[in-house]
Each structure stands twice: as C-alpha cells, then as structure tokens.
Amino acid sequence: MADEIRIGIALGSGAAKGWAHIGVLRGLQRLGMAPNVVAGCSIGAFVGAAYAAGKLDELQQWVSHFSSWDVVGLMDLSWRRGGIIGGEKVFAAASAAIGIERVAELQLPFVAVATDLYSGQEVWLEQGRLEDVVGASCAIPGLILPKRIGNRWLVDGAVVNPVPVSACRALGADLVIAVDLHGDVRQHGAAPVRLDASAVSASAGGDQGNGALFSPAADAAEANNSFSDLLLSGKQWVDKITDSFNNDGAEQPNALAVMHQSMEILEQRHKRARMMGDPPEAVILPRVGDIVTMEFQRADEAIAAGEAAVEKVAHLLEAELERLRQAKHQG
C-alpha cells in the first residue's frame, strides 16, 4: 500500500513503557503502514532493533512471559560508580532472543541514538555489535553503567534526543511517525510556582524518614537490614526499585526518585523543543502513564496500549499517507 512512500518510525525513550512500541508496530503493520526505516532511543532502540531484524514476534514472545523474578534474573547488580545495574546480562539475553549479532545483519535501515557523556554530543550508532549499540542507547544515567564504544563513554540517547525524528529523516523517511511514551503523563513546567517560605519551613520540619530505597534519612540499622533484604530477595529488591521511581510527592523523595524525576523533566522540555524544530508528520501517544520505569513484567498491558493508540489515530495516519502520495505524484 505504501511502497512509494518511505515510512519512518521514531521510537522514543520510556524504559518499561517501551513495550508499547511493539503494539504500535503491530498496529501499523495491520494498517499496511509498516515502517521502512527505524530510529530508536533507549527502549525505542531496543524494540526498534528487533523490528529491523524481522524478529518482532520473537521479542514479543520473550517479553510477554516476563515475571518480576525474570526481571531480577536479568539484572546484573553493579556497585561501581557509573550505575546500579551493569546491563550486560539483559542486552546479551535480548541479542540471543533476537538472534542477530551485528547491525549490518538487520533487514531495514536502523539507527540508535546515544549521548557522549563528556562532550554532550548526540551520537548516531549505525554499525557494530547490536548488543553494544542498543546497550549504549539504553544506558540510563545513574542506573545503568555507561557503555564504552571506541574512545567514547555513551549514555541514554534521551539526554539529547528523546524521540529521534531527525535521525529518521536522515535515513530517508518521507513520512515520520513519532511514538511518544510520555504523552500520557502529567506535563511539566507549565508556569512558575511561588512558595510561601513559612510553608517550606513547616514542611521541612516534618518526618523525613519515609523515603524508600537509598533514603539518606534511614538509620544505619535500617540500611543494613535493607541491604540484607536486597541480597536475600530479588523480587523484593525490584519492588523497592519500582517504588523508588514511583514517588508521588507525598513523602520526601529518595535519591532514585530525584534522579528519575529530574531526568524526566529535562527530557520532556528537550523533546518539545526538538519536535517543534523538526515536527513529525504524525505522533502516536500510547496510554502507558501508569507503568513505572522498572515494571518490565507488564508487557502485555503496554503492547495492548500501543495497539489501541494506533487504532485511535488510524484515520489521521491514512490521510497523511494519502496526502504525501498525491504530493509525490503531482511533483
């Protein structure tokens, strides 16, 4: 149906929300609008690589059977300074599940976006070991260890380009469909808020010992017990990590919540600026706002949300495709 128009898909960042990308790709295939080129950032690079390899079925089968215990088994804890999770185990497992070793083996043009940790430069990864390329794009600062490729230390592409529309265009796409996994969550930074200093002082004097994992207010005995619990119960560890990312503002935020929320605010602002400068022809917004960063076991929900999001805008996608086709014929 769309052979004469090159359709590009820009798959955005979003950690566990990213399984929605699978549903989006499924929905587009059903519409006869299967993308010809793929650009991905973070989890978008993870799913995009599988799609570009022609292995979306294998990826969906793999992630749909995840449990909390499976997530634990894929986490290689690292207490080195660069991150809490090493990342090698999960990306090696994903590479094995997909069955592709190098980017050159992919069936479709593909680029993963990462960030040079020291220069801040946006880096497009189009060759090399697939495990390294995807691992670099997914290296969430402070959580997953940075990836060294060549003489660069690379981290999550979301730092510079959360939804890589520009990379999609560089691959030759005529119609770019952007998938924004954060369109369903609250919008940050609408207007400045003035706080009464007395209110700030009162809140500061309240209970500050309720933070979850890594709360600086926890006493030494509690910290030791928590560390023992982490070693003894992987599922409990994942639950605590999940809760840490899901801080609702009612309690003093812990270290992970501060890191995550700050990164998300910066990411949202940067994404809006990038997409205003280079707008896609269409945007798909899966309703995955309630899926927290580490809830990778909720794949079926996320995939269903991605499919539903495509159905919601199917008429717009088809209209845009027809407009481009007519413009191409007239030109």
Side-chain angles (χ1 to χ4, degrees):
M1 175 181 175
D3 289 343
E4 67 250 69
I5 301 294
R6 284 174 67 82
I7 299 175
I9 187 86
L11 301 174
S13 61
K17 294 176 174 64
W19 299 144
H21 289 318
I22 298 174
V24 168
L25 290 163
R26 290 281 185 225
L28 291 173
Q29 287 174 326
R30 281 198 292 271
L31 284 178
M33 296 181 65
N36 310 110
V37 300
V38 186
C41 172
S42 196
I43 190 68
F46 192 108
V47 176
Y51 173 75
K55 302 288 186 176
L56 199 61
D57 288 343
E58 287 82 350
L59 179 65
Q60 183 171 350
Q61 183 176 12
W62 185 53
V63 303
S64 291
H65 293 88
F66 274 3
S67 67
S68 295
W69 289 107
D70 294 318
V71 175
V72 172
L74 291 171
M75 286 185 180
D76 44 341
L77 298 186
S78 170
W79 303 107
R80 287 175 279 174
R81 294 180 181 178
I84 299 169
I85 299 169
E88 288 86 356
K89 187 181 292 186
V90 65
F91 297 120
S95 183
I98 294 172
I100 296 290
E101 189 169 320
R102 303 192 69 81
V103 175
E105 299 174 49
L106 299 178
Q107 298 175 7
L108 298 174
F110 168 79
V111 62
V113 177
T115 305
D116 186 304
L117 181 61
Y118 293 104
S119 71
Q121 185 177 12
E122 182 175 341
V123 178
W124 292 359
L125 300 168
E126 302 177 84
Q127 57 185 345
R129 293 177 67 239
L130 193 61
E131 183 180 329
D132 293 339
V133 165
V134 173
S137 186
C138 291
I140 301 172
L143 182 65
I144 299 177
L145 290 176
K147 190 76 178 178
R148 184 167 189 171
I149 297 182
N151 61 352
R152 296 177 182 266
W153 283 102
L154 302 177
V155 295
D156 196 336
V159 175
V160 291
N161 197 354
V163 184
V165 173
S166 55
C168 231
R169 293 209 189 281
L171 291 175
D174 300 307
L175 187 161
V176 176
I177 301 170
V179 185
D180 181 2
L181 299 176
H182 295 284
D184 185 39
V185 298
R186 65 183 181 278
Q187 297 300 306
H188 297 288
V193 176
R194 289 188 172 90
L195 290 180
D196 186 335
S198 61
V200 175
S201 298
S203 64
D207 180 14
Q208 298 184 7
N210 294 325
L213 192 61
F214 305 141
S215 171
D219 60 26
E222 243 180 87
N224 286 337
N225 288 336
S226 295
F227 184 69
S228 298
D229 288 342
L230 298 185
L231 295 178
L232 293 171
S233 175
K235 187 176 186 300
Q236 183 180 6
W237 187 84
V238 168
D239 291 341
K240 287 187 177 184
I241 287 283
T242 298
D243 290 342
S244 292
F245 282 112
N246 197 27
N247 193 290
D248 60 6
E251 299 176 347
Q252 179 184 355
N254 55 69
L256 280 181
V258 170
M259 177 189 71
H260 173 66
Q261 285 298 111
S262 299
M263 177 78 176
E264 187 169 303
I265 292 168
L266 291 169
E267 189 177 313
Q268 292 301 317
R269 288 180 176 272
H270 201 43
K271 176 187 67 183
R272 287 196 291 271
R274 291 293 298 254
M275 291 179 71
M276 285 177 65
D278 187 7
E281 279 67 38
V283 180
I284 296 176
L285 305 170
R287 296 183 63 84
V288 288
D290 65 328
I291 297 179
V292 185
T293 298
M294 300 296 291
E295 293 184 315
F296 291 100
Q297 72 277 12
R298 296 177 64 181
D300 289 339
E301 296 173 55
I303 292 169
E307 293 176 328
V310 173
E311 290 176 9
K312 188 174 181 180
V313 297
H315 61 295
L316 299 175
L317 294 170
E318 290 170 338
E320 185 62 26
L321 179 61
E322 182 59 27
R323 182 188 71 79
L324 288 172
R325 185 184 290 113
Q326 290 181 7
K328 195 165 188 175
H329 287 160
Q330 291 172 2

